[in-house]
């Protein structure tokens, strides 16, 4: 018995034109539902590649339509579609699923890619690379590739000290430039405040000019005249 079309399965979901085209292209699918946790995983075999970002948009729309806590579309592609051009999109999916990925894999280079090996270089020292690898990041990428393409690769992530130093130097220079800009802005603000204060003082002086001082103390010797026993003038 043929499977129902995915658009019939998700009849509460109203996809846009592109999403409709993607789901309609499914060769076959498998639904893995967890009613207790209100979650759903959909393994879909596609005949062509689709960006993970586009699939994530469909996930979110289905989640909203059915008020679920979690929805994941796990794409399955023909093995022959896997090549180096797939790596950037796979890294995006890795960054979504990985614990220690953001900030570490924002910049990387593919140092080597063969039939059974993928080496990524990131601009970090051994300490940063150790942190990434301790979170099983290479193994997670291996799993994503295996599930999507049925390809078993050994993934290695290593640091590039030269690029790391270049990034550090650029960061320090950027920091110095930012601090210099902040200092200049602070000085300009202080100078503007000083000019405003002087202007206010000048305006106050114009409104209330200083009059010449008058000495009200008589310098003559005081003379007392007795008027009666208790009164003096």
């Amino acid at each position: 018995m043929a499977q129902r079309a995915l658009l019939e399965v998700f009849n509460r979901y109203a996809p846009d034109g592109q999403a409709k085209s993607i789901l309609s292209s499914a060769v076959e699918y498998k639904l893995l539902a967890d009613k207790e946790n209100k979650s759903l995983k959909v393994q879909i075999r596609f005949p062509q590649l689709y960006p993970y970002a586009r699939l994530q948009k469909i996930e979110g729309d289905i989640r909203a339509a059915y008020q679920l806590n979690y929805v994941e579309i796990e794409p399955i592609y023909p093995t022959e579609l896997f090549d180096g051009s797939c790596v950037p999109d796979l890294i995006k999916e890795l960054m979504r699923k990985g614990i220690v990925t953001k900030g570490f894999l924002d910049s990387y280079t593919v140092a080597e890619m063969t039939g059974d090996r993928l080496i990524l270089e990131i601009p970090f020292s051994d300490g940063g690379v150790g942190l990434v690898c301790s979170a099983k990041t290479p193994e997670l990428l291996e799993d994503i590739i295996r599930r999507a393409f049925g390809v078993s690769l050994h993934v290695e992530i290593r640091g590039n000290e030269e690029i790391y130093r270049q990034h550090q130097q650029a960061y320090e220079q950027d920091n110095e430039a930012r601090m210099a800009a902040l200092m200049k802005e602070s000085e300009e603000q202080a100078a503007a405040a000083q000019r405003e204060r002087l202007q206010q003082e000048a305006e106050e002086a114009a409104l209330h000019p200083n009059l010449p001082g008058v000495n009200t103390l008589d310098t003559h010797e005081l003379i007392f005249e007795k008027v009666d026993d208790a009164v003096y003038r």
Side-chain angles (χ1 to χ4, degrees):
M1 183 178 178
Q3 286 185 307
R4 287 193 300 161
L6 273 172
L7 293 175
E8 293 178 10
V9 174
F10 298 118
N11 50 28
R12 294 187 203 169
Y13 164 53
D16 58 28
Q18 189 178 22
K20 186 175 182 179
S21 175
I22 290 173
L23 293 179
S24 297
S25 72
V27 176
E28 61 180 344
Y29 63 85
K30 181 178 181 182
L31 302 177
L32 303 171
D34 184 338
K35 293 184 179 180
E36 183 178 351
N37 295 311
K38 297 182 70 174
S39 66
L40 175 68
K41 176 182 282 191
V42 191
Q43 295 175 334
I44 307 177
R45 188 175 298 278
F46 290 114
Q48 64 187 73
L49 299 176
Y50 296 112
Y52 275 102
R54 195 67 186 85
L55 298 180
Q56 289 165 18
K57 174 66 168 57
I58 296 173
E59 290 171 355
D61 291 342
I62 293 175
R63 184 174 63 248
Y66 287 87
Q67 298 183 336
L68 298 173
N69 294 327
Y70 178 79
V71 173
E72 179 183 355
I73 294 177
E74 186 178 280
I76 302 172
Y77 300 112
T79 300
E80 59 269 18
L81 295 182
F82 178 71
D83 59 25
S85 65
C86 301
V87 173
D89 200 43
L90 290 166
I91 295 296
K92 290 179 182 177
E93 179 68 359
L94 173 65
M95 291 177 69
R96 180 173 78 127
K97 292 184 174 181
I99 299 174
V100 182
T101 52
K102 290 184 179 178
F104 288 92
L105 291 172
D106 293 342
S107 177
Y108 69 91
T109 57
V110 177
E112 179 183 331
M113 183 170 177
T114 59
D116 60 355
R117 187 180 184 86
L118 172 62
I119 299 177
L120 302 178
E121 287 187 349
I122 58 177
F124 286 90
S125 63
D126 291 341
V129 174
L131 185 61
V132 173
C133 293
S134 67
K136 304 295 183 182
T137 305
E139 291 85 349
L140 178 57
L141 182 55
E142 290 173 357
D143 185 62
I144 292 171
I145 294 171
R146 183 170 55 253
R147 287 177 176 274
F149 296 96
V151 174
S152 294
L153 280 183
H154 172 70
V155 175
E156 180 182 339
I157 298 177
R158 65 190 186 194
N160 187 312
E161 288 289 341
E162 180 59 30
I163 296 178
Y164 172 69
R165 283 193 294 270
Q166 292 173 4
H167 277 242
Q168 282 296 104
Q169 185 178 8
Y171 172 77
E172 291 169 1
Q173 290 174 347
D174 184 57
N175 246 4
E176 290 174 2
R178 189 179 298 112
M179 289 300 297
L182 288 173
M183 288 292 293
K184 182 179 180 181
E185 182 181 356
S186 178
E187 291 170 357
E188 290 174 350
Q189 289 175 349
Q194 175 72 357
R195 288 193 299 270
E196 185 178 354
R197 184 179 65 80
L198 292 175
Q199 183 178 355
Q200 289 175 349
E201 290 177 354
E203 291 172 354
E204 286 289 329
L207 291 174
H208 306 288
N210 290 328
L211 298 176
V214 177
N215 188 0
T216 59
L217 295 178
D218 193 338
T219 58
H220 293 83
E221 183 181 354
L222 295 176
I223 301 173
F224 292 91
E225 176 187 354
K226 186 175 181 179
V227 178
D228 56 35
D229 288 342
V231 178
Y232 289 84
R233 179 182 295 115

